[in-house]
């Protein structure tokens, strides 16, 4: 392996210096953590699957005009991305009650929400990613009001598009988390979708059986974690059987 400068190492990914200025290489690990890294494990093959799933979803979102950091996949575990300044806010969009929402408000898991609910969390491992309001975000300067408007509008477009895409393959998009970054081009700054979109940061349930096909299998020790991620990739039509670099259409589930 060639020596590359490691820019940042997170819990599930490593960022390396890219081949040209303004780019980075995003490497997907098999490591998994939950509950602010109190639970740690390895899911063999997860990195390969998430690299492929995130490539596919970022590409599809790019096709409908959502700006993203994604450039192209390089190999099984790496993708080339634009270097952005990550905004330290996790944007969570929820359609169905699950996870921390059920605990916080005592709403039974699986309750359809009256409308999509957006929440913000401040990215800080030391503080355990506390939930914050728009007021905190703008008052503490984590994002400007205009940035936040853009993030909200983009997150809702991502939700609408991905809800439909997943429903077409028999999966309910229960909730997800996205991150955004600032990308500078000539003196202009725009907000783009960054990080990854994969079963690590989405909840996906089978429409018919409610089977969980996401990281909750790891969080809740349900077993067959890699198999669940693989099933998501299979339904998206992007498993390697489809041929390398092949973008077979997602399979419609009746
Ligand atoms: P939550 O119900 O635990 O708040 O999670 C909401 C969504 O955000 C769920 O799809 C999982 C995702 N998520 C992350 O991607 N990273 C995190 O650190 C947390 C807590 C949740």
């Amino acid at each position: 392996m060639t020596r590359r400068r490691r820019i940042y190492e997170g819990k599930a990914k490593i960022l390396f210096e890219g081949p040209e200025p303004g780019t980075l290489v995003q490497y997907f690990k098999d490591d998994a953590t939950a509950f602010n890294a109190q639970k740690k494990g390895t899911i063999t093959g997860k990195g390969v699957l998430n690299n492929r799933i995130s490539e596919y979803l970022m590409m599809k979102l790019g096709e409908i005009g959502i700006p993203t950091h994604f450039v192209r996949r390089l190999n099984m575990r790496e993708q080339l991305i634009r270097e952005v300044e990550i905004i330290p806010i996790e944007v969570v969009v929820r359609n169905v009650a699950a996870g921390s929402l059920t605990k916080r408000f005592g709403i039974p898991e699986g309750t359809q929400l009256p409308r999509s609910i957006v929440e913000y969390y401040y990215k800080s491992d030391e503080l355990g990613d506390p939930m914050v309001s728009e007021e905190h975000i703008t008052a503490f300067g984590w994002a400007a009001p205009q940035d936040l408007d853009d993030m909200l509008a983009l997150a809702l477009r991502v939700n609408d598009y991905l809800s439909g895409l997943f429903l077409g393959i028999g999966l309910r998009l229960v909730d997800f988390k996205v991150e955004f970054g600032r990308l500078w081009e000539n003196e202009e700054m725009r907000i783009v979708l960054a990080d990854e979109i994969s079963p690590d940061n989405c909840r996906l349930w089978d429409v018919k059986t409610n089977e969980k096909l996401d990281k909750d299998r790891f969080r809740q020790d349900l077993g067959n974690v890699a198999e669940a991620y693989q099933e998501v990739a299979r339904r998206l039509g992007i498993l390697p059987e489809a041929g390398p670099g092949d973008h077979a259409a997602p399979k419609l589930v009746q």
Side-chain angles (χ1 to χ4, degrees), residues 90 92 94 98-100 121 175-177 201-203 219:
E90 300 193 340
V92 169
R94 302 179 185 272
S100 66
Y121 294 85
D175 57 31
F176 64 91
K177 182 267 290 183
N201 37 49
C202 297
R203 284 196 174 93
R219 293 190 190 98

Side-chain angles (χ1 to χ4, degrees), residues 29 34 48 59-60 80 118 141-142 146 148-149 153 199 205 229 242:
K29 302 191 275 188
V48 174
M59 219 187 55
K60 297 302 276 183
L80 186 67
V118 180
W142 297 320
Q146 182 59 54
L148 205 45
D149 284 355
W205 296 354
Y229 284 50

Side-chain angles (χ1 to χ4, degrees), residues 4 7-8 13-28 51 54-55 58-59 68-75 77-86 181 183 192-197:
R4 290 176 301 186
I7 306 289
Y8 175 81
K13 297 188 292 294
I14 308 173
L15 295 176
F16 293 100
E17 193 172 51
E20 60 237 35
T23 66
L24 295 175
V25 172
Q26 181 165 249
Y27 176 97
F28 288 75
N51 186 23
S54 196
E55 169 199 20
M58 289 277 183
M59 219 187 55
T68 84
H69 73 164
F70 181 79
V71 180
R72 66 175 180 276
R73 189 164 60 88
L74 297 170
N75 54 50
R77 285 188 184 269
E78 294 178 331
Q79 49 182 243
L80 186 67
I81 58 171
R82 310 283 295 272
E83 184 171 22
V84 300
E85 183 194 338
I86 290 287
L183 179 67
V192 305
L193 188 61
D195 190 50
E196 67 174 290
I197 306 183

Side-chain angles (χ1 to χ4, degrees), residues 107-121:
I107 302 172
E109 181 179 78
T111 309
Q112 181 74 42
L113 298 171
R115 61 185 175 84
S116 303
I117 293 176
V118 180
E119 296 169 348
Y120 303 106
Y121 294 85

Side-chain angles (χ1 to χ4, degrees), residues 9-229:
E9 177 151 8
K11 286 176 274 201
K13 297 188 292 294
I14 308 173
L15 295 176
F16 293 100
E17 193 172 51
E20 60 237 35
T23 66
L24 295 175
V25 172
Q26 181 165 249
Y27 176 97
F28 288 75
K29 302 191 275 188
D30 284 346
D31 297 352
T33 63
F35 315 117
N36 203 19
Q38 288 177 63
K39 181 180 169 84
K40 289 196 176 95
T42 305
I43 303 166
T44 305
K46 174 175 83 85
V48 174
L49 288 161
N50 281 357
N51 186 23
R52 196 76 179 85
I53 292 170
S54 196
E55 169 199 20
Y56 181 79
L57 298 177
M58 289 277 183
M59 219 187 55
K60 297 302 276 183
L61 288 165
E63 285 171 10
I64 63 153
I66 308 265
T68 84
H69 73 164
F70 181 79
V71 180
R72 66 175 180 276
R73 189 164 60 88
L74 297 170
N75 54 50
M76 298 275 276
R77 285 188 184 269
E78 294 178 331
Q79 49 182 243
L80 186 67
I81 58 171
R82 310 283 295 272
E83 184 171 22
V84 300
E85 183 194 338
I86 290 287
I87 294 167
I89 299 297
E90 300 193 340
V91 182
V92 169
V93 184
R94 302 179 185 272
N95 302 305
V96 175
S100 66
L101 184 100
T102 61
K103 290 202 192 79
R104 197 177 306 122
F105 302 112
I107 302 172
E109 181 179 78
T111 309
Q112 181 74 42
L113 298 171
R115 61 185 175 84
S116 303
I117 293 176
V118 180
E119 296 169 348
Y120 303 106
Y121 294 85
Y122 176 50
K123 265 169 76 73
S124 163
D125 286 341
E126 300 79 62
L127 301 174
D129 295 351
M131 184 155 85
V132 293
S133 73
E134 295 192 15
E135 286 285 296
H136 298 121
I137 296 171
T138 53
F140 296 135
W142 297 320
Q146 182 59 54
D147 299 344
L148 205 45
D149 284 355
D150 292 353
M151 289 158 64
L152 174 63
L154 289 170
L156 291 174
R157 283 180 71 198
V158 168
N159 185 46
D160 283 348
Y161 180 78
L162 291 187
S163 291
L165 183 146
F166 281 121
L167 198 57
I169 54 170
L171 293 174
R172 195 138 72 120
L173 181 60
V174 170
D175 57 31
F176 64 91
K177 182 267 290 183
V178 279
E179 294 182 25
F180 295 93
R182 297 188 184 91
L183 179 67
W184 273 276
E185 283 163 324
N186 309 314
E187 304 288 295
E188 303 263 303
M189 186 279 283
R190 43 185 195 133
I191 301 290
V192 305
L193 188 61
D195 190 50
E196 67 174 290
I197 306 183
S198 73
D200 264 12
N201 37 49
C202 297
R203 284 196 174 93
L204 297 165
W205 296 354
D206 182 88
V207 168
K208 286 190 188 144
T209 64
N210 281 332
E211 187 187 6
K212 293 176 177 171
L213 295 171
D214 56 62
K215 195 174 160 190
D216 270 351
R217 300 203 71 85
F218 170 75
R219 293 190 190 98
Q220 301 171 6
D221 296 317
L222 299 175
N224 295 329
V225 189
E227 289 78 2
Y229 284 50

